[in-house]
Amino acid sequence: MKEVLYLAMKKLTVEEFKDFKYYLLEYGSTDQRAQSSRGYPVITQADLENADRRRTVDLIVQTYNQQPLEVTQELLLKVGRGDVVDHLAQSKPGAPMQIDSAATPSAGATGVNTMADGKHFVDKHRIKLIDRVNNIAVILDELLEEDILQQEMYDKIRVLPTSQEKMRELYSGPLKAGGIRCKDKFYSILEKKERYLVDELKEMK
């Protein structure tokens, strides 16, 4: 069960995960007296403040050990991730989550085809992305949160003086080594943080 819930947590963006923890804290506070009377631990602000995705799953299972799946599904709906709820509903404890074909790497992390003319979107538009991406700090934060970047590489890129240098280092290191999965995740983040640029590049032949 824990592994299934952890896979669900990994599907959330950084902001969605923050919202999920907010609703989890709120959910626990409304039932705090009932939990305490049953002898269950109560999830507190201190518990969640620095909790990563795996620790958050541990807290859910410890606190709601009779219904961790139901609690997780309810909170996922609150953050607008009904698609992840559907995957959870199809999953059984101890089994991997079922992923539909639209979410496989060849279709990109958002279900959009990221390949054109045999090249990935982020490779095809490499020069323009390096030159024009502005929200690189936020993008790096999300790549770190998604385990695409390791802390050492994150720190190395962050200290570079310009956005262009940061992007070049990202391309020459993690994006080159990470393959399709890494590029798909990068693309999905670009769609959120650089929407207008991505839309413009999509229109280019």
Side-chain angles (χ1 to χ4, degrees):
M1 174 60 70
K2 281 188 177 182
E3 192 61 29
V4 170
L5 297 181
Y6 176 61
L7 289 173
M9 291 297 101
K10 289 187 71 174
K11 289 180 174 293
L12 302 182
T13 66
V14 174
E15 289 303 315
E16 287 169 346
F17 181 56
K18 288 179 181 177
D19 290 343
F20 182 92
K21 291 202 295 182
Y22 169 80
Y23 289 121
L24 178 58
L25 182 64
E26 186 179 65
Y27 187 96
S29 65
T30 60
D31 194 34
Q32 191 174 91
R33 181 175 298 178
Q35 290 177 46
S36 297
S37 67
R38 292 195 299 268
Y40 295 162
V42 174
I43 298 177
T44 66
Q45 179 72 44
D47 291 328
L48 281 176
E49 186 172 3
N50 296 312
D52 60 12
R53 294 164 198 256
R54 194 170 290 281
R55 176 57 182 158
T56 299
V57 168
D58 288 340
L59 289 169
I60 292 171
V61 173
Q62 290 168 11
T63 306
Y64 303 103
N65 58 7
Q66 299 300 316
Q67 51 181 4
L69 182 61
E70 291 78 2
V71 171
T72 301
Q73 288 175 318
E74 182 176 338
L75 300 183
L76 286 170
L77 288 174
K78 285 182 176 289
V79 301
R81 292 305 303 267
D83 58 318
V84 182
V85 172
D86 291 340
H87 291 150
L88 276 175
Q90 297 168 8
S91 301
K92 296 180 180 180
M97 293 181 66
Q98 297 181 23
I99 309 297
D100 59 45
S101 59
T104 59
S106 62
T110 58
V112 176
N113 189 358
T114 55
M115 302 295 292
D117 302 324
K119 296 186 71 174
H120 196 285
F121 178 92
V122 301
D123 292 324
K124 181 178 180 180
H125 300 290
R126 179 180 184 275
I127 293 176
K128 287 184 171 57
L129 288 171
I130 288 175
D131 185 53
R132 297 177 59 187
V133 165
N134 292 315
N135 296 317
I136 184 63
V138 177
I139 290 170
L140 291 174
D141 288 343
E142 293 221 17
L143 289 172
L144 178 67
E145 182 69 23
E146 296 291 341
D147 295 326
I148 300 298
L149 280 182
Q150 299 302 311
Q151 187 68 50
E152 182 179 358
M153 178 58 70
Y154 171 85
D155 293 338
K156 177 182 178 181
I157 296 176
R158 279 297 300 267
V159 299
L160 294 174
T162 68
S163 295
Q164 288 77 20
E165 288 178 90
K166 290 181 174 73
M167 286 290 292
R168 288 191 188 96
E169 185 64 32
L170 188 59
Y171 265 98
S172 64
L175 290 180
K176 183 178 181 180
I180 293 294
R181 173 181 172 272
C182 182
K183 291 174 183 177
D184 282 347
K185 182 61 67 174
F186 180 53
Y187 173 82
S188 72
I189 295 172
L190 285 174
E191 280 206 308
K192 292 181 294 182
K193 305 303 180 183
E194 297 281 354
R195 163 61 67 181
Y196 295 115
L197 174 58
V198 169
D199 287 346
E200 178 185 329
L201 294 177
K202 284 179 182 177
E203 296 298 320
M204 296 178 61
K205 294 183 179 179

PDB file of all heavy atoms in Angstrom, residues 169-200:
ATOM      1  N   GLU A 169      23.795  24.223 -18.917  1.00  0.00           N
ATOM      2  CA  GLU A 169      24.277  23.190 -17.998  1.00  0.00           C
ATOM      3  C   GLU A 169      23.220  22.111 -17.791  1.00  0.00           C
ATOM      4  O   GLU A 169      23.537  20.919 -17.700  1.00  0.00           O
ATOM      5  CB  GLU A 169      24.642  23.829 -16.657  1.00  0.00           C
ATOM      6  CG  GLU A 169      25.282  22.871 -15.659  1.00  0.00           C
ATOM      7  CD  GLU A 169      26.624  22.339 -16.121  1.00  0.00           C
ATOM      8  OE1 GLU A 169      27.350  23.080 -16.831  1.00  0.00           O
ATOM      9  OE2 GLU A 169      26.947  21.178 -15.788  1.00  0.00           O
ATOM     10  N   LEU A 170      21.965  22.529 -17.739  1.00  0.00           N
ATOM     11  CA  LEU A 170      20.869  21.574 -17.594  1.00  0.00           C
ATOM     12  C   LEU A 170      20.809  20.646 -18.804  1.00  0.00           C
ATOM     13  O   LEU A 170      20.624  19.432 -18.669  1.00  0.00           O
ATOM     14  CB  LEU A 170      19.550  22.332 -17.438  1.00  0.00           C
ATOM     15  CG  LEU A 170      18.296  21.531 -17.091  1.00  0.00           C
ATOM     16  CD1 LEU A 170      18.469  20.786 -15.772  1.00  0.00           C
ATOM     17  CD2 LEU A 170      17.081  22.456 -17.020  1.00  0.00           C
ATOM     18  N   TYR A 171      20.975  21.207 -19.986  1.00  0.00           N
ATOM     19  CA  TYR A 171      20.958  20.403 -21.211  1.00  0.00           C
ATOM     20  C   TYR A 171      22.155  19.453 -21.287  1.00  0.00           C
ATOM     21  O   TYR A 171      22.004  18.281 -21.648  1.00  0.00           O
ATOM     22  CB  TYR A 171      20.957  21.314 -22.444  1.00  0.00           C
ATOM     23  CG  TYR A 171      19.586  21.590 -23.006  1.00  0.00           C
ATOM     24  CD1 TYR A 171      18.919  22.763 -22.689  1.00  0.00           C
ATOM     25  CD2 TYR A 171      18.961  20.690 -23.862  1.00  0.00           C
ATOM     26  CE1 TYR A 171      17.655  23.033 -23.203  1.00  0.00           C
ATOM     27  CE2 TYR A 171      17.701  20.945 -24.384  1.00  0.00           C
ATOM     28  CZ  TYR A 171      17.053  22.117 -24.054  1.00  0.00           C
ATOM     29  OH  TYR A 171      15.800  22.372 -24.565  1.00  0.00           O
ATOM     30  N   SER A 172      23.337  19.956 -20.972  1.00  0.00           N
ATOM     31  CA  SER A 172      24.547  19.147 -21.140  1.00  0.00           C
ATOM     32  C   SER A 172      24.692  18.076 -20.065  1.00  0.00           C
ATOM     33  O   SER A 172      25.399  17.088 -20.262  1.00  0.00           O
ATOM     34  CB  SER A 172      25.790  20.045 -21.128  1.00  0.00           C
ATOM     35  OG  SER A 172      25.944  20.677 -19.860  1.00  0.00           O
ATOM     36  N   GLY A 173      24.010  18.262 -18.937  1.00  0.00           N
ATOM     37  CA  GLY A 173      24.100  17.297 -17.843  1.00  0.00           C
ATOM     38  C   GLY A 173      22.853  16.450 -17.690  1.00  0.00           C
ATOM     39  O   GLY A 173      22.692  15.424 -18.367  1.00  0.00           O
ATOM     40  N   PRO A 174      21.930  16.852 -16.803  1.00  0.00           N
ATOM     41  CA  PRO A 174      20.764  16.016 -16.470  1.00  0.00           C
ATOM     42  C   PRO A 174      19.874  15.654 -17.652  1.00  0.00           C
ATOM     43  O   PRO A 174      19.437  14.511 -17.770  1.00  0.00           O
ATOM     44  CB  PRO A 174      20.000  16.887 -15.461  1.00  0.00           C
ATOM     45  CG  PRO A 174      21.039  17.774 -14.865  1.00  0.00           C
ATOM     46  CD  PRO A 174      22.013  18.053 -15.962  1.00  0.00           C
ATOM     47  N   LEU A 175      19.571  16.605 -18.541  1.00  0.00           N
ATOM     48  CA  LEU A 175      18.678  16.296 -19.661  1.00  0.00           C
ATOM     49  C   LEU A 175      19.315  15.305 -20.630  1.00  0.00           C
ATOM     50  O   LEU A 175      18.635  14.455 -21.205  1.00  0.00           O
ATOM     51  CB  LEU A 175      18.288  17.576 -20.405  1.00  0.00           C
ATOM     52  CG  LEU A 175      17.359  18.536 -19.656  1.00  0.00           C
ATOM     53  CD1 LEU A 175      17.059  19.761 -20.512  1.00  0.00           C
ATOM     54  CD2 LEU A 175      16.057  17.851 -19.261  1.00  0.00           C
ATOM     55  N   LYS A 176      20.618  15.412 -20.797  1.00  0.00           N
ATOM     56  CA  LYS A 176      21.327  14.488 -21.686  1.00  0.00           C
ATOM     57  C   LYS A 176      21.402  13.092 -21.082  1.00  0.00           C
ATOM     58  O   LYS A 176      21.207  12.085 -21.768  1.00  0.00           O
ATOM     59  CB  LYS A 176      22.733  15.015 -21.965  1.00  0.00           C
ATOM     60  CG  LYS A 176      23.535  14.160 -22.935  1.00  0.00           C
ATOM     61  CD  LYS A 176      24.896  14.788 -23.204  1.00  0.00           C
ATOM     62  CE  LYS A 176      25.705  13.952 -24.185  1.00  0.00           C
ATOM     63  NZ  LYS A 176      27.037  14.568 -24.454  1.00  0.00           N
ATOM     64  N   ALA A 177      21.656  13.039 -19.778  1.00  0.00           N
ATOM     65  CA  ALA A 177      21.831  11.744 -19.111  1.00  0.00           C
ATOM     66  C   ALA A 177      20.506  11.075 -18.758  1.00  0.00           C
ATOM     67  O   ALA A 177      20.423   9.849 -18.693  1.00  0.00           O
ATOM     68  CB  ALA A 177      22.662  11.925 -17.836  1.00  0.00           C
ATOM     69  N   GLY A 178      19.462  11.880 -18.538  1.00  0.00           N
ATOM     70  CA  GLY A 178      18.208  11.340 -18.020  1.00  0.00           C
ATOM     71  C   GLY A 178      17.302  10.689 -19.036  1.00  0.00           C
ATOM     72  O   GLY A 178      16.352   9.995 -18.665  1.00  0.00           O
ATOM     73  N   GLY A 179      17.546  10.940 -20.323  1.00  0.00           N
ATOM     74  CA  GLY A 179      16.748  10.297 -21.354  1.00  0.00           C
ATOM     75  C   GLY A 179      15.341  10.865 -21.479  1.00  0.00           C
ATOM     76  O   GLY A 179      15.042  11.974 -21.037  1.00  0.00           O
ATOM     77  N   ILE A 180      14.455  10.064 -22.087  1.00  0.00           N
ATOM     78  CA  ILE A 180      13.098  10.506 -22.402  1.00  0.00           C
ATOM     79  C   ILE A 180      12.319  10.894 -21.151  1.00  0.00           C
ATOM     80  O   ILE A 180      11.609  11.907 -21.134  1.00  0.00           O
ATOM     81  CB  ILE A 180      12.331   9.400 -23.161  1.00  0.00           C
ATOM     82  CG1 ILE A 180      12.947   9.181 -24.542  1.00  0.00           C
ATOM     83  CG2 ILE A 180      10.856   9.777 -23.309  1.00  0.00           C
ATOM     84  CD1 ILE A 180      12.807  10.347 -25.478  1.00  0.00           C
ATOM     85  N   ARG A 181      12.423  10.091 -20.089  1.00  0.00           N
ATOM     86  CA  ARG A 181      11.660  10.380 -18.870  1.00  0.00           C
ATOM     87  C   ARG A 181      11.998  11.768 -18.340  1.00  0.00           C
ATOM     88  O   ARG A 181      11.111  12.541 -17.967  1.00  0.00           O
ATOM     89  CB  ARG A 181      11.944   9.330 -17.799  1.00  0.00           C
ATOM     90  CG  ARG A 181      11.314   9.653 -16.445  1.00  0.00           C
ATOM     91  CD  ARG A 181      11.634   8.585 -15.404  1.00  0.00           C
ATOM     92  NE  ARG A 181      11.197   8.995 -14.085  1.00  0.00           N
ATOM     93  CZ  ARG A 181      11.937   9.703 -13.244  1.00  0.00           C
ATOM     94  NH1 ARG A 181      13.156  10.086 -13.601  1.00  0.00           N
ATOM     95  NH2 ARG A 181      11.480  10.043 -12.060  1.00  0.00           N
ATOM     96  N   CYS A 182      13.280  12.082 -18.301  1.00  0.00           N
ATOM     97  CA  CYS A 182      13.722  13.376 -17.801  1.00  0.00           C
ATOM     98  C   CYS A 182      13.231  14.504 -18.701  1.00  0.00           C
ATOM     99  O   CYS A 182      12.753  15.535 -18.223  1.00  0.00           O
ATOM    100  CB  CYS A 182      15.243  13.389 -17.710  1.00  0.00           C
ATOM    101  SG  CYS A 182      15.929  14.921 -17.061  1.00  0.00           S
ATOM    102  N   LYS A 183      13.306  14.305 -20.004  1.00  0.00           N
ATOM    103  CA  LYS A 183      12.866  15.335 -20.947  1.00  0.00           C
ATOM    104  C   LYS A 183      11.355  15.532 -20.883  1.00  0.00           C
ATOM    105  O   LYS A 183      10.859  16.659 -20.990  1.00  0.00           O
ATOM    106  CB  LYS A 183      13.305  14.969 -22.361  1.00  0.00           C
ATOM    107  CG  LYS A 183      14.814  15.060 -22.562  1.00  0.00           C
ATOM    108  CD  LYS A 183      15.241  14.548 -23.929  1.00  0.00           C
ATOM    109  CE  LYS A 183      16.759  14.585 -24.063  1.00  0.00           C
ATOM    110  NZ  LYS A 183      17.221  14.029 -25.352  1.00  0.00           N
ATOM    111  N   ASP A 184      10.623  14.438 -20.703  1.00  0.00           N
ATOM    112  CA  ASP A 184       9.169  14.550 -20.565  1.00  0.00           C
ATOM    113  C   ASP A 184       8.794  15.363 -19.329  1.00  0.00           C
ATOM    114  O   ASP A 184       7.884  16.197 -19.360  1.00  0.00           O
ATOM    115  CB  ASP A 184       8.531  13.161 -20.473  1.00  0.00           C
ATOM    116  CG  ASP A 184       8.406  12.473 -21.823  1.00  0.00           C
ATOM    117  OD1 ASP A 184       8.577  13.153 -22.855  1.00  0.00           O
ATOM    118  OD2 ASP A 184       8.132  11.261 -21.847  1.00  0.00           O
ATOM    119  N   LYS A 185       9.487  15.104 -18.239  1.00  0.00           N
ATOM    120  CA  LYS A 185       9.201  15.840 -17.005  1.00  0.00           C
ATOM    121  C   LYS A 185       9.553  17.316 -17.168  1.00  0.00           C
ATOM    122  O   LYS A 185       8.806  18.202 -16.735  1.00  0.00           O
ATOM    123  CB  LYS A 185       9.981  15.225 -15.845  1.00  0.00           C
ATOM    124  CG  LYS A 185       9.725  15.891 -14.500  1.00  0.00           C
ATOM    125  CD  LYS A 185       8.272  15.785 -14.082  1.00  0.00           C
ATOM    126  CE  LYS A 185       7.874  14.364 -13.785  1.00  0.00           C
ATOM    127  NZ  LYS A 185       6.483  14.310 -13.232  1.00  0.00           N
ATOM    128  N   PHE A 186      10.681  17.583 -17.795  1.00  0.00           N
ATOM    129  CA  PHE A 186      11.094  18.959 -18.065  1.00  0.00           C
ATOM    130  C   PHE A 186      10.051  19.661 -18.933  1.00  0.00           C
ATOM    131  O   PHE A 186       9.668  20.812 -18.673  1.00  0.00           O
ATOM    132  CB  PHE A 186      12.456  18.942 -18.760  1.00  0.00           C
ATOM    133  CG  PHE A 186      13.009  20.299 -19.101  1.00  0.00           C
ATOM    134  CD1 PHE A 186      13.129  21.290 -18.140  1.00  0.00           C
ATOM    135  CD2 PHE A 186      13.428  20.580 -20.391  1.00  0.00           C
ATOM    136  CE1 PHE A 186      13.648  22.539 -18.456  1.00  0.00           C
ATOM    137  CE2 PHE A 186      13.948  21.822 -20.718  1.00  0.00           C
ATOM    138  CZ  PHE A 186      14.056  22.802 -19.753  1.00  0.00           C
ATOM    139  N   TYR A 187       9.567  18.956 -19.942  1.00  0.00           N
ATOM    140  CA  TYR A 187       8.544  19.516 -20.828  1.00  0.00           C
ATOM    141  C   TYR A 187       7.265  19.851 -20.059  1.00  0.00           C
ATOM    142  O   TYR A 187       6.665  20.909 -20.258  1.00  0.00           O
ATOM    143  CB  TYR A 187       8.245  18.523 -21.951  1.00  0.00           C
ATOM    144  CG  TYR A 187       7.083  18.920 -22.835  1.00  0.00           C
ATOM    145  CD1 TYR A 187       7.260  19.838 -23.870  1.00  0.00           C
ATOM    146  CD2 TYR A 187       5.816  18.381 -22.630  1.00  0.00           C
ATOM    147  CE1 TYR A 187       6.192  20.207 -24.679  1.00  0.00           C
ATOM    148  CE2 TYR A 187       4.752  18.752 -23.433  1.00  0.00           C
ATOM    149  CZ  TYR A 187       4.945  19.663 -24.456  1.00  0.00           C
ATOM    150  OH  TYR A 187       3.888  20.034 -25.246  1.00  0.00           O
ATOM    151  N   SER A 188       6.839  18.949 -19.178  1.00  0.00           N
ATOM    152  CA  SER A 188       5.603  19.188 -18.426  1.00  0.00           C
ATOM    153  C   SER A 188       5.740  20.400 -17.512  1.00  0.00           C
ATOM    154  O   SER A 188       4.786  21.158 -17.313  1.00  0.00           O
ATOM    155  CB  SER A 188       5.220  17.944 -17.614  1.00  0.00           C
ATOM    156  OG  SER A 188       6.087  17.744 -16.523  1.00  0.00           O
ATOM    157  N   ILE A 189       6.936  20.607 -16.971  1.00  0.00           N
ATOM    158  CA  ILE A 189       7.176  21.783 -16.127  1.00  0.00           C
ATOM    159  C   ILE A 189       7.181  23.046 -16.981  1.00  0.00           C
ATOM    160  O   ILE A 189       6.623  24.079 -16.595  1.00  0.00           O
ATOM    161  CB  ILE A 189       8.503  21.632 -15.356  1.00  0.00           C
ATOM    162  CG1 ILE A 189       8.412  20.463 -14.371  1.00  0.00           C
ATOM    163  CG2 ILE A 189       8.844  22.924 -14.603  1.00  0.00           C
ATOM    164  CD1 ILE A 189       9.727  20.105 -13.714  1.00  0.00           C
ATOM    165  N   LEU A 190       7.791  22.969 -18.159  1.00  0.00           N
ATOM    166  CA  LEU A 190       7.785  24.112 -19.075  1.00  0.00           C
ATOM    167  C   LEU A 190       6.358  24.505 -19.449  1.00  0.00           C
ATOM    168  O   LEU A 190       6.042  25.696 -19.560  1.00  0.00           O
ATOM    169  CB  LEU A 190       8.560  23.776 -20.349  1.00  0.00           C
ATOM    170  CG  LEU A 190      10.086  23.744 -20.265  1.00  0.00           C
ATOM    171  CD1 LEU A 190      10.666  23.245 -21.588  1.00  0.00           C
ATOM    172  CD2 LEU A 190      10.650  25.112 -19.926  1.00  0.00           C
ATOM    173  N   GLU A 191       5.505  23.521 -19.642  1.00  0.00           N
ATOM    174  CA  GLU A 191       4.116  23.824 -20.000  1.00  0.00           C
ATOM    175  C   GLU A 191       3.423  24.649 -18.922  1.00  0.00           C
ATOM    176  O   GLU A 191       2.551  25.469 -19.220  1.00  0.00           O
ATOM    177  CB  GLU A 191       3.338  22.529 -20.231  1.00  0.00           C
ATOM    178  CG  GLU A 191       3.568  21.914 -21.587  1.00  0.00           C
ATOM    179  CD  GLU A 191       2.395  21.062 -22.012  1.00  0.00           C
ATOM    180  OE1 GLU A 191       1.986  20.192 -21.218  1.00  0.00           O
ATOM    181  OE2 GLU A 191       1.891  21.265 -23.125  1.00  0.00           O
ATOM    182  N   LYS A 192       3.807  24.438 -17.681  1.00  0.00           N
ATOM    183  CA  LYS A 192       3.191  25.186 -16.572  1.00  0.00           C
ATOM    184  C   LYS A 192       3.868  26.532 -16.351  1.00  0.00           C
ATOM    185  O   LYS A 192       3.189  27.535 -16.112  1.00  0.00           O
ATOM    186  CB  LYS A 192       3.262  24.361 -15.282  1.00  0.00           C
ATOM    187  CG  LYS A 192       2.395  23.123 -15.288  1.00  0.00           C
ATOM    188  CD  LYS A 192       2.507  22.374 -13.983  1.00  0.00           C
ATOM    189  CE  LYS A 192       3.903  21.814 -13.787  1.00  0.00           C
ATOM    190  NZ  LYS A 192       4.045  21.047 -12.544  1.00  0.00           N
ATOM    191  N   LYS A 193       5.188  26.551 -16.421  1.00  0.00           N
ATOM    192  CA  LYS A 193       5.936  27.749 -16.039  1.00  0.00           C
ATOM    193  C   LYS A 193       6.280  28.667 -17.209  1.00  0.00           C
ATOM    194  O   LYS A 193       6.585  29.840 -17.005  1.00  0.00           O
ATOM    195  CB  LYS A 193       7.234  27.341 -15.323  1.00  0.00           C
ATOM    196  CG  LYS A 193       7.023  26.434 -14.118  1.00  0.00           C
ATOM    197  CD  LYS A 193       6.101  27.064 -13.094  1.00  0.00           C
ATOM    198  CE  LYS A 193       5.909  26.146 -11.889  1.00  0.00           C
ATOM    199  NZ  LYS A 193       4.955  26.719 -10.911  1.00  0.00           N
ATOM    200  N   GLU A 194       6.257  28.114 -18.424  1.00  0.00           N
ATOM    201  CA  GLU A 194       6.579  28.903 -19.618  1.00  0.00           C
ATOM    202  C   GLU A 194       5.524  28.625 -20.693  1.00  0.00           C
ATOM    203  O   GLU A 194       5.837  28.340 -21.842  1.00  0.00           O
ATOM    204  CB  GLU A 194       7.979  28.551 -20.132  1.00  0.00           C
ATOM    205  CG  GLU A 194       9.111  28.868 -19.182  1.00  0.00           C
ATOM    206  CD  GLU A 194       9.494  30.342 -19.190  1.00  0.00           C
ATOM    207  OE1 GLU A 194       8.952  31.098 -20.024  1.00  0.00           O
ATOM    208  OE2 GLU A 194      10.340  30.735 -18.361  1.00  0.00           O
ATOM    209  N   ARG A 195       4.272  28.716 -20.302  1.00  0.00           N
ATOM    210  CA  ARG A 195       3.160  28.330 -21.169  1.00  0.00           C
ATOM    211  C   ARG A 195       3.170  29.056 -22.515  1.00  0.00           C
ATOM    212  O   ARG A 195       3.021  28.454 -23.573  1.00  0.00           O
ATOM    213  CB  ARG A 195       1.839  28.580 -20.434  1.00  0.00           C
ATOM    214  CG  ARG A 195       0.591  28.630 -21.306  1.00  0.00           C
ATOM    215  CD  ARG A 195       0.338  27.345 -22.057  1.00  0.00           C
ATOM    216  NE  ARG A 195      -0.001  26.253 -21.175  1.00  0.00           N
ATOM    217  CZ  ARG A 195      -0.247  25.013 -21.603  1.00  0.00           C
ATOM    218  NH1 ARG A 195      -0.141  24.731 -22.887  1.00  0.00           N
ATOM    219  NH2 ARG A 195      -0.564  24.068 -20.748  1.00  0.00           N
ATOM    220  N   TYR A 196       3.345  30.374 -22.494  1.00  0.00           N
ATOM    221  CA  TYR A 196       3.268  31.140 -23.734  1.00  0.00           C
ATOM    222  C   TYR A 196       4.420  30.797 -24.677  1.00  0.00           C
ATOM    223  O   TYR A 196       4.240  30.711 -25.897  1.00  0.00           O
ATOM    224  CB  TYR A 196       3.247  32.637 -23.436  1.00  0.00           C
ATOM    225  CG  TYR A 196       2.011  33.067 -22.689  1.00  0.00           C
ATOM    226  CD1 TYR A 196       2.095  33.570 -21.389  1.00  0.00           C
ATOM    227  CD2 TYR A 196       0.750  32.952 -23.271  1.00  0.00           C
ATOM    228  CE1 TYR A 196       0.952  33.941 -20.695  1.00  0.00           C
ATOM    229  CE2 TYR A 196      -0.397  33.322 -22.584  1.00  0.00           C
ATOM    230  CZ  TYR A 196      -0.288  33.816 -21.298  1.00  0.00           C
ATOM    231  OH  TYR A 196      -1.417  34.181 -20.610  1.00  0.00           O
ATOM    232  N   LEU A 197       5.590  30.594 -24.117  1.00  0.00           N
ATOM    233  CA  LEU A 197       6.738  30.215 -24.933  1.00  0.00           C
ATOM    234  C   LEU A 197       6.523  28.843 -25.566  1.00  0.00           C
ATOM    235  O   LEU A 197       6.774  28.646 -26.763  1.00  0.00           O
ATOM    236  CB  LEU A 197       8.010  30.216 -24.080  1.00  0.00           C
ATOM    237  CG  LEU A 197       9.287  29.705 -24.762  1.00  0.00           C
ATOM    238  CD1 LEU A 197       9.598  30.517 -26.017  1.00  0.00           C
ATOM    239  CD2 LEU A 197      10.459  29.743 -23.779  1.00  0.00           C
ATOM    240  N   VAL A 198       6.050  27.887 -24.779  1.00  0.00           N
ATOM    241  CA  VAL A 198       5.803  26.540 -25.297  1.00  0.00           C
ATOM    242  C   VAL A 198       4.748  26.576 -26.400  1.00  0.00           C
ATOM    243  O   VAL A 198       4.907  25.943 -27.455  1.00  0.00           O
ATOM    244  CB  VAL A 198       5.373  25.589 -24.160  1.00  0.00           C
ATOM    245  CG1 VAL A 198       4.862  24.261 -24.730  1.00  0.00           C
ATOM    246  CG2 VAL A 198       6.533  25.332 -23.208  1.00  0.00           C
ATOM    247  N   ASP A 199       3.673  27.325 -26.175  1.00  0.00           N
ATOM    248  CA  ASP A 199       2.623  27.422 -27.196  1.00  0.00           C
ATOM    249  C   ASP A 199       3.163  28.025 -28.489  1.00  0.00           C
ATOM    250  O   ASP A 199       2.811  27.587 -29.592  1.00  0.00           O
ATOM    251  CB  ASP A 199       1.460  28.272 -26.677  1.00  0.00           C
ATOM    252  CG  ASP A 199       0.623  27.544 -25.635  1.00  0.00           C
ATOM    253  OD1 ASP A 199       0.776  26.311 -25.513  1.00  0.00           O
ATOM    254  OD2 ASP A 199      -0.171  28.204 -24.941  1.00  0.00           O
ATOM    255  N   GLU A 200       4.009  29.025 -28.352  1.00  0.00           N
ATOM    256  CA  GLU A 200       4.599  29.654 -29.542  1.00  0.00           C
ATOM    257  C   GLU A 200       5.478  28.664 -30.299  1.00  0.00           C
ATOM    258  O   GLU A 200       5.417  28.573 -31.537  1.00  0.00           O
ATOM    259  CB  GLU A 200       5.427  30.868 -29.120  1.00  0.00           C
ATOM    260  CG  GLU A 200       6.117  31.570 -30.280  1.00  0.00           C
ATOM    261  CD  GLU A 200       7.023  32.697 -29.820  1.00  0.00           C
ATOM    262  OE1 GLU A 200       6.725  33.324 -28.775  1.00  0.00           O
ATOM    263  OE2 GLU A 200       8.040  32.942 -30.503  1.00  0.00           O
TER     264      GLU A 200
END
